[in-house]
Amino acid sequence: MRCSALHLLRCVRLQLGSRLKRNRLPLCVRRIWAYVKLLVRSLCFNSLTDSDVVFDSVFEPVFVTVDYVTRWFGLVFVCLVVILTSSILAVAYTVLLPMALNTYSPAWIAWHLCYGHWNLIMIAFHYYKAAKTSPGYPPTEKNDRPFVSVCKKCIMPKPARTHHCGICNRCILKMDHHCPWLNNCVGHFNHRYFFSFCLFMTLGCVYCSISGRNQFLDAYNALETNFQTPAPPYTFKEKMIHKSMIYMWVLTSTVGVALGALTIWHAVLISRGETSIEKHINRKEMKRMMVRWGKVYKNPFNYGRLNNWKIFLGVEKRSHWVTRVLLPSGHPPLGDGLTWDFFPVKTDLIPV
């Protein structure tokens, strides 16, 4: 009896000592330690764990931090787009337009005015629609629509081509990517607006670069002469005009090259009938099927280049190439983004 009582007291003392040691740690440290232990255990949760799961689990804190920063800086990026575009417009109206009115013929002046303002309207319209239009979300209530999987974060059914956005913290229909310059996701209902904005912004930058090339060279040579001579022959206003031309040409040329490359990349994806996310998924699926079964994987949403563009742009008849592509149009895309038709044989889906 005496030995058993001593053993019981010793066990109680050890338990109390361990609890006191635990309680000495701050609450934030204990929570971090519990999270780390849970993270380590999740790496060997079951036999389905692969390198992608391990990578996502290890770098989850980094992803969460990036998503948090991008979510809160989205408005800053939008303001930056508006400010930079407005500055280029100010230079174009105050510097380029007076020069064009004094040097060009009436026919060239009319062409520049028509094309420049058409391009400006297309840029402003598509940027506003891309930023303000909802990309599309799957229904949250119970329904009978088919789905391909269950989102591990939303714990909700995911229709085909739907992916979870960590920045928006919800699933997006036919998600392409989250664009910080729009402060919005690019999905089923605003993908066309995003691509049209990139296209017309690229055309506008190229137009400004070509139109202001001679003025840029003159301004650059004038500033170089000023640095080499002790007495600059130009007034303050003339020097500000020269600097404005250099600023406009450098900015539009840089943005034109960068945004032009992005536009070409998205045009290639649209021609293949896939999004940026599906590009990586299809490539992995192609390798998996080739290695495991020796078969060639084909994208079920690829209906042929021309049909892919018709579906993407919403072209249903010949006049739509003008009214829906070359002019501002707020028509919705084909389909609801929840169900998709599969055509194993390439057919003319929309004969025009």
Side-chain angles (χ1 to χ4, degrees):
M1 285 292 292
R2 185 176 180 183
C3 292
S4 60
L6 289 175
H7 180 70
L8 180 62
L9 289 174
R10 189 181 294 110
C11 292
V12 170
R13 186 173 62 183
L14 289 174
Q15 289 184 356
L16 289 175
S18 61
R19 287 182 182 178
L20 288 174
K21 289 182 179 178
R22 278 185 198 170
N23 293 332
R24 289 174 187 172
L25 294 175
L27 180 61
C28 60
V29 176
R30 280 182 282 152
R31 286 180 177 176
I32 294 175
W33 176 246
Y35 178 77
V36 171
K37 288 196 299 184
L38 180 63
L39 189 64
V40 172
R41 290 176 182 175
S42 67
L43 297 179
C44 52
F45 179 69
N46 54 32
S47 59
L48 299 178
T49 302
D50 54 9
S51 58
D52 293 335
V53 176
V54 174
F55 180 83
D56 292 341
S57 300
V58 171
F59 286 92
E60 183 182 358
V62 179
F63 297 150
V64 171
T65 304
V66 173
D67 292 344
Y68 181 82
V69 173
T70 306
R71 185 185 304 121
W72 285 104
F73 273 82
L75 187 60
V76 177
F77 288 126
V78 172
C79 294
L80 190 60
V81 171
V82 175
I83 292 172
L84 292 177
T85 306
S86 301
S87 65
I88 297 300
L89 288 176
V91 175
Y93 277 108
T94 59
V95 179
L96 274 182
L97 187 58
M99 290 182 181
L101 294 176
N102 294 327
T103 56
Y104 291 160
S105 63
W108 273 109
I109 293 174
W111 185 88
H112 280 290
L113 289 176
C114 293
Y115 176 81
H117 286 91
W118 168 78
N119 203 341
L120 176 61
I121 291 173
M122 296 296 284
I123 291 172
F125 173 81
H126 287 104
Y127 183 76
Y128 176 80
K129 295 292 287 184
K132 300 300 291 184
T133 301
S134 171
Y137 311 110
T140 55
E141 57 275 348
K142 186 177 180 181
N143 59 79
D144 298 329
R145 290 186 177 274
F147 60 94
V148 296
S149 62
V150 176
C151 180
K152 294 181 292 185
K153 297 184 179 181
C154 296
I155 318 298
M156 293 294 295
K158 285 201 308 183
R161 313 186 79 177
T162 299
H163 302 280
H164 186 88
C165 175
I167 300 174
C168 297
N169 199 25
R170 63 187 308 178
C171 289
I172 307 296
L173 298 178
K174 200 189 117 178
M175 179 179 175
D176 188 270
H177 68 287
H178 184 94
C179 181
W181 300 103
L182 298 175
N183 195 26
N184 194 10
C185 259
V186 177
H188 178 64
F189 290 101
N190 65 344
H191 194 181
R192 178 178 66 88
Y193 297 130
F194 166 78
F195 176 79
S196 297
F197 163 71
C198 293
L199 176 62
F200 289 110
M201 179 62 85
T202 302
L203 293 177
C205 290
V206 172
Y207 168 72
C208 290
S209 298
I210 296 176
S211 300
R213 177 178 177 274
N214 294 330
Q215 288 79 1
F216 162 75
L217 293 176
D218 295 339
Y220 182 78
N221 294 329
L223 289 180
E224 284 295 315
T225 303
N226 286 344
F227 284 120
Q228 294 175 0
T229 57
Y234 298 103
T235 62
F236 176 78
K237 180 180 179 181
E238 291 173 335
K239 287 191 291 185
M240 291 303 298
I241 291 175
H242 293 158
K243 292 180 180 179
S244 299
M245 289 304 307
I246 294 175
Y247 163 77
M248 185 197 74
W249 193 88
V250 171
L251 180 60
T252 54
S253 300
T254 305
V255 174
V257 172
L259 194 58
L262 179 65
T263 305
I264 293 174
W265 166 249
H266 278 280
V268 172
L269 294 179
I270 295 169
S271 300
R272 296 175 180 174
E274 58 187 7
T275 62
S276 300
I277 296 177
E278 291 171 349
K279 168 67 177 177
H280 302 287
I281 295 176
N282 293 341
R283 183 172 57 184
K284 292 174 61 177
E285 193 68 16
M286 189 180 302
K287 292 181 180 179
R288 186 181 68 87
M289 291 190 67
M290 181 59 67
V291 172
R292 182 169 295 185
W293 292 295
K295 296 182 179 180
V296 178
Y297 173 79
K298 292 185 177 180
N299 178 18
F301 307 108
N302 186 3
Y303 310 129
R305 292 182 182 177
L306 182 58
N307 285 324
N308 289 334
W309 280 102
K310 293 175 185 177
I311 293 173
F312 178 78
L313 298 174
V315 174
E316 301 180 72
K317 53 185 180 180
R318 284 190 177 92
S319 61
H320 287 170
W321 290 106
V322 176
T323 58
R324 292 188 172 185
V325 179
L326 298 180
L327 295 176
S329 176
H331 66 279
L334 298 176
D336 56 3
L338 298 173
T339 56
W340 301 90
D341 295 327
F342 298 91
F343 291 88
V345 180
K346 294 180 180 179
T347 57
D348 192 4
L349 302 178
I350 309 174
V352 295

